[in-house]
Amino acid sequence: MADEAFQRSADKMRERGMSELSINQFKNVYHEWRNDAQGAWIREHDVEPLTDVPSFHDVYATIDHTKAINAFAKTAFLKLNGGLGTSMGLESAKSLIPVRRHKARQMRFIDIIIGQVLTARQRLDVALPLTFMNSFRTSDDTMRVLHRNPAFVQRDIPMEILQHQEPKIDAETGEPATCPKHPDLEWCPPGHGDVYASIWESGLLDTLQSKGFKYLFISNSDNLGARPSRTLAQHFENTGAPFMVEVAVRTEADRKGGHIVRDTHTGRLVLREMTQVADEDKAAAQDIVKHPYFNTNSIWIRIDALKEKLEQYQGVLPLPVIRNYKTVDPTDDTSDKVVQLETAMGAAIGLFDGAICVQVDRMRFLPVKTTDDLLIMRSDRFHLTDSYEMEDGNYLFPSVSLDSRYYKRINDFNERFPYSIPSMAAANSVTIHGDWTFGQNVAFYGDAVLEDQDRPSYVPNGEFVGPQGVEPDDWFE
């Protein structure tokens, strides 16, 4: 029955024009899910914590920065850009969300990424090709932006590769899911682990090698901290490693994220996501002292090593499956329950002997997954420099919790901050319950809290919001 159900998914993929490579990749994860192999767990007693990772500061002190330009000149840049940001109510590429203004111009994620690349090209006189891995839903919007930017010119290296798509699966039957009203919702991306098969199928590695490139730096488009770095390029070259992951020190806020461990049987580094942790191991896996680093999903790969590995597996790396349970229509909780079968890019670390990690500061990990993150990114905690770096004093940010009923979707979020984001310079945390709209020049401080008033509420211009809510006019007496 499982084979018949998979065959119906395979037929559906062929009807949509998907390649045999993409079908083979889906076959791997589908059968792993249906077999529900216990091998999917990465048990605590089978791994060792990752410790003593060299930091960016240690590396920086050892680098000949004049020579580092040579390693940087052999580096290409790939941005994962397949996400729509549906969790924020978007229907276009997430990278098109405005982040903040720079010299009166509204800057989106993609504008800042292009600015970072152009700055590196001009200052260091390097080619630094930029390629986006787009999905079928983000390609048109992204390419339109690139073609309309007269400063961004790239002729010999493709500006995009397309990631694959696969059917969402009915969680109960294993059959391909259906959504007659919105057939496009029957499809989903295979997770960012699909980057390897997409790279292989596109021929990008051959193109890069023919132009003299040796290294590929890959990161998420919603992480504006993942800038091109000649220091890390030179460090990567110096080590001779085939694969390097940027990790950062975990805080309590990161304890449920993926982290790198060492397999005691093979000696290789392994990415362990929380979906791969058995219930009895969760306390140990979330212990940020025992496992001090998390995966930032920014990786460096030697092009020849990746090409050899992809040749070995005929373009489909054997990455563990991630089971992502949702509804077929993510905006309708009553629609059919489905599972999206995904793989993680960082999991490829377990396939390479000699893979390494490097510890980076929070300035290289500035992701925006929710409007909670966007609130900080748009606030006065950040300054966007002329070299397009998101700059903050210490990169230790307030914890933010916005009422999802009123702030989860980007349009609702924007409506409630019609002028600007309140000042967060003096805030330790921000918690908003209920429907609040903010006037101009509002400031959060301390552990700022606004309670639900059971009606739409307003914070007037110039007010301070602290532990007692909107402070009374005589709060300083």
Side-chain angles (χ1 to χ4, degrees):
M1 293 294 291
D3 287 341
E4 292 178 7
F6 166 74
Q7 195 56 50
R8 281 186 276 277
S9 288
D11 291 343
K12 184 173 182 175
M13 293 176 76
R14 289 189 182 97
E15 290 171 6
R16 197 167 174 96
M18 302 304 296
S19 67
E20 290 302 311
L21 180 71
S22 67
I23 294 170
N24 287 337
Q25 178 172 250
F26 181 65
K27 181 179 180 180
N28 285 358
V29 294
Y30 182 90
H31 284 302
E32 185 176 338
W33 167 66
R34 288 307 293 257
N35 293 333
D36 199 26
Q38 285 300 308
W41 300 127
I42 301 177
R43 297 303 309 272
E44 187 70 17
H45 55 67
D46 290 328
V47 301
E48 296 174 344
L50 181 67
T51 57
D52 300 323
V53 176
S55 76
F56 181 89
H57 301 287
D58 297 335
V59 167
Y60 188 88
T62 67
I63 295 297
D64 180 334
H65 294 279
T66 302
K67 179 184 174 185
I69 297 176
N70 296 328
F72 197 39
K74 294 177 280 190
T75 300
F77 197 18
L78 177 63
K79 277 288 186 182
L80 306 181
N81 192 52
L84 283 180
T86 52
S87 62
M88 289 192 277
L90 294 171
E91 295 181 356
S92 59
K94 187 177 177 182
S95 58
L96 300 187
I97 299 176
V99 179
R100 59 189 308 113
R101 292 190 178 277
H102 179 66
K103 296 181 177 178
R105 182 186 168 199
Q106 190 69 269
M107 302 295 290
R108 301 161 295 185
F109 285 90
I110 193 169
D111 300 316
I112 296 172
I113 292 166
I114 292 170
Q116 291 173 350
V117 169
L118 292 180
T119 298
R121 288 179 180 180
Q122 294 160 3
R123 290 187 176 180
L124 302 176
D125 192 24
V126 295
L128 191 61
L130 170 64
T131 302
F132 287 89
M133 184 175 82
N134 291 320
S135 68
F136 65 103
R137 291 185 175 177
T138 64
S139 175
D140 289 347
D141 290 337
T142 300
M143 297 307 292
R144 193 175 298 114
V145 171
L146 294 177
H147 290 310
R148 287 179 176 175
N149 188 326
F152 184 76
V153 178
Q154 188 167 297
R155 295 187 178 89
D156 298 328
I157 309 295
M159 290 186 283
E160 78 163 347
I161 62 174
L162 285 174
Q163 72 178 94
H164 298 112
Q165 51 183 305
E166 64 186 27
K168 297 177 183 178
I169 299 299
D170 186 291
E172 292 186 6
T173 67
E175 298 281 344
T178 59
C179 188
K181 290 183 178 179
H182 304 286
D184 272 353
L185 295 179
E186 297 173 5
W187 298 88
C188 63
H192 43 67
D194 178 59
V195 66
Y196 303 111
S198 297
I199 285 174
W200 177 254
E201 199 162 43
S202 71
L204 179 63
L205 297 182
D206 291 331
T207 302
L208 291 173
Q209 282 189 318
S210 72
K211 301 298 179 183
F213 293 97
K214 294 186 176 182
Y215 312 112
L216 187 59
F217 173 48
I218 311 177
S219 61
N220 293 338
S221 63
D222 64 6
N223 177 11
L224 294 176
R227 305 184 307 276
S229 168
R230 59 174 167 168
T231 299
L232 289 175
Q234 186 61 59
H235 172 64
F236 185 47
E237 181 171 83
N238 289 350
T239 65
F243 195 102
M244 181 172 76
V245 175
E246 296 185 27
V247 297
V249 175
R250 289 169 101 188
T251 66
E252 282 297 322
D254 311 305
R255 65 190 184 88
K256 293 185 179 180
H259 55 285
I260 308 293
V261 293
R262 189 177 299 279
D263 188 314
T264 56
H265 302 292
T266 66
R268 287 178 173 174
L269 297 179
V270 176
L271 171 62
R272 181 168 66 169
E273 302 283 0
M274 280 302 158
T275 56
Q276 297 169 294
V277 176
D279 288 342
E280 54 267 40
D281 291 334
K282 278 188 164 47
Q286 294 179 16
D287 185 336
I288 65 174
V289 175
K290 183 176 185 180
H291 297 286
Y293 305 109
F294 71 90
N295 168 39
T296 68
N297 215 42
S298 295
I299 67 173
W300 298 74
I301 309 179
R302 227 175 57 213
I303 290 173
D304 60 352
L306 177 58
K307 187 174 178 180
E308 180 181 342
K309 193 64 66 174
L310 285 165
E311 286 173 346
Q312 177 185 347
Y313 291 105
Q314 299 181 310
V316 180
L317 298 184
L319 304 178
V321 63
I322 298 171
R323 302 152 176 83
N324 197 351
Y325 291 94
K326 297 188 174 185
T327 54
V328 66
D329 182 347
T331 66
D332 181 3
D333 292 338
T334 66
S335 61
D336 292 344
K337 290 180 169 50
V338 298
V339 59
Q340 297 180 196
L341 302 177
E342 304 175 0
T343 57
M345 176 176 71
I349 194 173
L351 301 176
F352 291 89
D353 290 321
I356 60 173
C357 293
V358 61
Q359 178 200 327
V360 296
D361 293 340
R362 285 283 170 152
M363 64 185 296
R364 288 191 63 81
F365 185 67
L366 304 173
V368 175
K369 303 299 182 185
T370 66
T371 51
D372 293 1
D373 302 324
L374 188 61
L375 183 78
I376 299 173
M377 203 64 82
R378 287 183 175 178
S379 77
D380 59 357
R381 287 301 305 262
F382 279 106
H383 167 64
L384 183 60
T385 71
D386 287 345
S387 53
Y388 299 92
E389 297 179 11
M390 295 290 289
E391 192 173 76
D392 177 65
N394 59 14
Y395 298 93
L396 298 175
F397 305 115
S399 61
V400 174
S401 177
L402 305 179
D403 194 318
S404 62
R405 294 173 297 171
Y406 306 106
Y407 301 91
K408 181 179 180 179
R409 298 183 180 278
I410 189 69
N411 289 340
D412 296 335
F413 175 91
N414 289 336
E415 284 179 6
R416 286 162 176 79
F417 299 101
Y419 303 106
S420 62
I421 299 298
S423 171
M424 299 183 70
N428 178 59
S429 66
V430 174
T431 304
I432 301 177
H433 301 295
D435 184 1
W436 289 86
T437 298
F438 293 80
Q440 301 180 64
N441 302 317
V442 173
F444 293 127
Y445 77 94
D447 292 307
V449 177
L450 287 170
E451 298 295 352
D452 193 346
Q453 304 297 303
D454 295 322
R455 64 181 186 279
S457 306
Y458 181 67
V459 179
N461 295 346
E463 294 289 352
F464 290 85
V465 179
Q468 299 179 56
V470 180
E471 296 290 351
D473 292 339
D474 59 353
W475 67 274
F476 50 83
E477 294 181 0

